[in-house]
Amino acid sequence: MKFEGRDIISIRDFTREEIDYILETARIMEPIARKGSDILKGKILATLFFEPSTRTRLSFETAMIKLGGSTIGFAEAEIASVRKGENLVDTIRTVEKYADVIALRHPLEGAARLAAEVAEVPIINGGSGAEEHPTQAMLDLYTIQKEKGCIDGLKIALLGDLRYGRTVHSLAYALSNYDVELYLVSPDALRMRREVLEEIRGRIPVKETSNINDVINDVDVLYVTRIQKERFPDVAEYMKVKGSYRVGLETLEKVKNGLIILHPLPRTDEIAPEVDATPYAKYFQQVWNGIVTRMALLALILGAVN
Ligand code: NCD
């Protein structure tokens, strides 16, 4: 298995063996994340974020700092030269002279792939439009494995905006490497993208429904996402689905004991705040897991561990 110098553009570029190896490396990073280390001393991560972000950008930066490296970048494309009309290719060709690795978030699908084609340094896709968010899927898998002991054998529901949500696209592809049953729960207008559905259906059992109550008592993992309001081509379409699902204490009355509820965050109104105090809620643990997973990825692609 070779990770050094690799781009992370789509979760589909990784085999199950490679994903398992990344999860194993993330586990090794747990004590290092608490103590700090200098294995990436002298290395620079650039974070180029053309869309809003809290966790993805800050956890990449935190991961780099905990490994002894440094970070540069921008979170407001408005203040970078992009505002003057610079195109993405020129921006990448410039930043790669400064940095050893670049994490990029961009509103356009295909942007990360394009960046990887022109860059000499590895590109990590921190979200490409509604398409994919591969490092989120890796930290989601890491969280499932850590909380449930293993991924194989589980029944997993993805609830919410399966059409425009990029995290659920990457996660569905990732889960199709494992022996899981998947329930896709969404309003009709926000059903899973056809191309994702077609690919995963050939690999694992998948059932679609529009009502979480149909499946909630059967599942081991409930992964909730917000409606991606900003990606709707038309506000009227958004208004039709706004508030159409919400997980509250009443949803959880008869669930399995070891159920875990995950969410990539940010949350809007799809999980009631009362749920946070239940033993099921693991979405803030997920945030920590994002640090160790990204530490593993940075260390692997920069060749500091193998
Ligand atoms: C997600 C994203 O940006 O796709 N957030 C994240 O990276 N944790 C989910 C979202 O914005 O709903």
Side-chain angles (χ1 to χ4, degrees), residues 142-182:
Y142 180 72
T143 305
I144 294 171
Q145 193 178 62
K146 188 167 151 183
E147 296 292 335
K148 302 296 298 177
C150 66
I151 300 170
D152 287 321
L154 297 178
K155 294 186 178 180
I156 299 173
L158 308 185
L159 166 64
D161 185 346
L162 308 185
R163 181 184 175 112
Y164 297 114
R166 55 194 170 200
T167 66
V168 281
H169 298 153
S170 291
L171 183 56
Y173 284 132
L175 286 170
S176 73
N177 290 299
Y178 294 84
D179 178 18
V180 297
E181 282 178 51
L182 203 56

Side-chain angles (χ1 to χ4, degrees), residues 13-253:
D13 300 336
F14 293 82
T15 63
R16 171 174 175 157
E17 287 65 37
E18 289 172 332
I19 294 172
D20 284 340
Y21 194 78
I22 292 164
L23 304 188
E24 177 61 25
T25 309
R27 202 180 56 75
I28 294 167
M29 289 293 168
E30 293 266 358
I32 300 173
R34 285 188 286 271
K35 287 198 314 277
S37 129
D38 61 2
I39 60 172
L40 291 184
K41 192 157 187 265
K43 300 285 185 191
I44 296 178
L45 162 73
T47 53
L48 308 186
F49 275 58
F50 293 84
E51 269 193 349
S53 170
T54 300
R55 277 149 292 266
T56 304
R57 184 173 62 84
L58 294 182
S59 73
F60 264 117
E61 294 185 357
T62 304
M64 193 64 181
I65 293 165
K66 282 179 181 287
L67 291 170
S70 312
T71 70
I72 58 170
F74 57 75
E76 274 291 340
E78 284 296 291
I79 60 167
S81 285
V82 177
R83 175 92 182 274
K84 302 180 189 165
E86 182 160 67
N87 67 39
L88 179 64
V89 168
D90 287 359
T91 302
I92 295 294
R93 283 192 177 135
T94 302
V95 174
E96 68 173 346
K97 304 292 187 298
Y98 306 137
D100 301 284
V101 52
I102 298 173
L104 173 74
R105 169 170 287 189
H106 200 281
L108 290 181
E109 298 186 10
R113 185 73 70 192
L114 171 69
E117 277 165 18
V118 298
E120 304 274 336
V121 302
I123 299 286
I124 304 175
N125 179 5
S128 48
E131 184 185 36
E132 275 220 50
H133 193 345
T135 66
Q136 178 71 42
M138 289 171 187
L139 80 89
D140 295 336
L141 292 184
Y142 180 72
T143 305
I144 294 171
Q145 193 178 62
K146 188 167 151 183
E147 296 292 335
K148 302 296 298 177
C150 66
I151 300 170
D152 287 321
L154 297 178
K155 294 186 178 180
I156 299 173
L158 308 185
L159 166 64
D161 185 346
L162 308 185
R163 181 184 175 112
Y164 297 114
R166 55 194 170 200
T167 66
V168 281
H169 298 153
S170 291
L171 183 56
Y173 284 132
L175 286 170
S176 73
N177 290 299
Y178 294 84
D179 178 18
V180 297
E181 282 178 51
L182 203 56
Y183 298 99
L184 302 177
V185 191
S186 68
D188 261 357
L190 300 179
R191 282 173 61 190
M192 180 58 87
R193 275 190 183 204
R194 180 183 299 222
E195 76 219 48
V196 181
L197 204 49
E198 279 173 4
E199 183 167 320
I200 63 173
R201 271 224 158 101
R203 300 164 62 115
I204 52 169
V206 179
K207 288 197 190 105
E208 291 185 278
T209 170
S210 56
N211 188 347
I212 185 60
N213 295 319
D214 293 347
V215 301
I216 187 67
N217 298 334
D218 281 337
V219 298
D220 305 289
V221 180
L222 171 63
Y223 189 94
V224 188
T225 62
R226 75 180 170 92
I227 297 185
Q228 308 278 302
K229 181 179 177 186
E230 69 279 19
R231 303 212 191 278
F232 279 66
D234 180 351
V235 191
E237 291 304 309
Y238 167 70
M239 294 312 287
K240 283 188 206 156
V241 288
K242 181 176 184 275
S244 55
Y245 58 93
R246 178 176 165 92
V247 176
L249 292 179
E250 67 294 347
T251 322
L252 305 172
E253 270 163 16

